Amino acid sequence: MSHSARTAGRSPVRAARRLAVVVPLVCALSALVSCTNGEGEEALTTPCGVVVDGSGSAAAVKEGFDSEAKLKDSLGEFLTDQKCGTVDFAPITRSSRSSSCRQSQVDLDPPHDATTDRKVQRVNAQRSAAVAALAELTCARKQNGSDVWGALARIGETVPDDGGTPKVLVVSDFDQADPEFHLSRQDLTSEAKRAKVIDTLVRKRGLPGIKGMDVFPVGLGMQYSAKPSRADDFESFWTEALEGRAKAHVDNRYKR
């Protein structure tokens, strides 16, 4: 590993520490039985995915939506709420599907024995997931671009479907803008016109394999916060694309 590769990983690790859930030090006290080894804890089996946006619009600037801040604000809540047993990652870059940004799957409910403190073990696993998500974001920023469609295809190919309905957190403003297609240049002002735009994407790139998955957007349409009519059309486009065509289910509970 080169010197630059080693140093590049330090910043995400420091940042992830701010995200990690604090492990209660009082677990050593025998009076707090619930903090011993976590026997009887429900198994975590939901397959989950996290998609992070490294495009210019995701920067921490006035015109951006600050994907890093939104990732830190939503990741822990998402993993806990959805009872994620595993989590995979995908970047949004100029060519998301073939991007070299890759992080290994994190097991959020690792193997254990009778002496294992499962609560602490799971906290440590979530910390590892935070580190991986931030590393994926750091890599994606170096490649720039905003191929949201390709990222959805990639996460659909990556997340396993053998542990219940997969859940996918997408930290992005969803402004599709890759070398061949810019959503901001399309007319989305009616259902018929939006359907034509979706037809174009599907014809050129196929449908992302997210059928049946629950997709949780974070940051969707934030670039149109001062333009309500455009925001409505933009959000309608993605709902029609994801639910109407890709047959996924959109849930906005983590929308920031």
Side-chain angles (χ1 to χ4, degrees):
M1 180 180 295
S2 68
H3 175 74
S4 61
R6 290 195 300 270
T7 56
R10 292 174 186 168
S11 178
V13 171
R14 289 197 300 268
R17 287 171 183 160
R18 297 194 295 268
L19 173 68
V21 180
V22 178
V23 181
L25 298 178
V26 294
C27 283
L29 300 177
S30 58
L32 297 179
V33 179
S34 62
C35 289
T36 55
N37 62 11
E39 288 185 6
E41 291 281 345
E42 178 185 1
L44 303 177
T45 60
T46 305
C48 294
V50 175
V51 177
V52 291
D53 191 339
S55 68
S57 65
V61 295
K62 183 178 180 180
E63 298 79 13
F65 74 96
D66 196 348
S67 59
E68 182 174 337
K70 296 219 168 12
L71 176 63
K72 291 175 182 178
D73 188 43
S74 59
L75 179 60
E77 182 183 358
F78 166 74
L79 296 177
T80 300
D81 287 353
Q82 304 307 319
K83 303 185 188 309
C84 296
T86 59
V87 59
D88 290 275
F89 307 91
I92 295 176
T93 67
R94 62 178 174 269
S95 183
S96 302
R97 200 166 187 174
S98 60
S99 170
S100 60
C101 298
R102 297 186 182 278
Q103 293 294 316
S104 299
Q105 181 185 86
V106 175
D107 186 348
L108 296 171
D109 195 10
H112 59 278
D113 57 32
T115 64
T116 302
D117 188 326
R118 294 183 70 187
K119 290 189 176 182
V120 172
Q121 183 186 49
R122 289 177 176 181
V123 165
N124 290 335
Q126 280 205 13
R127 182 178 293 114
S128 295
V131 171
L134 285 165
E136 188 85 329
L137 176 58
T138 298
C139 180
R141 282 173 168 166
K142 297 174 183 176
Q143 298 184 0
N144 215 325
S146 189
D147 179 17
V148 181
W149 200 256
L152 292 170
R154 179 162 163 174
I155 202 68
E157 295 165 354
T158 306
V159 174
D161 59 1
D162 56 356
T165 301
K167 316 286 185 179
V168 178
L169 185 75
V170 185
V171 184
S172 174
D173 61 1
F174 281 74
D175 188 16
Q176 177 79 25
D178 61 73
E180 299 177 338
F181 182 91
H182 285 254
L183 187 56
S184 61
R185 299 173 186 171
Q186 308 301 316
D187 188 344
L188 307 178
T189 55
S190 72
E191 184 174 353
K193 290 175 180 178
R194 292 191 293 269
K196 287 183 179 180
V197 178
I198 297 170
D199 286 341
T200 300
L201 279 173
V202 173
R203 184 172 61 254
K204 291 182 176 180
R205 307 179 186 190
L207 282 169
I210 56 174
K211 182 178 181 179
M213 295 186 180
D214 290 336
V215 177
F216 300 87
V218 179
L220 173 62
M222 285 193 67
Q223 68 273 43
Y224 299 120
S225 59
K227 303 173 183 177
S229 61
R230 292 198 67 184
D232 289 346
D233 290 339
F234 187 83
E235 293 188 29
S236 293
F237 168 83
W238 279 108
T239 298
E240 290 158 18
L242 297 177
E243 294 191 337
R245 297 294 185 91
K247 305 301 180 184
H249 174 251
V250 177
D251 189 319
N252 289 311
R253 75 180 70 183
Y254 304 113
K255 187 176 178 182
R256 302 288 195 265

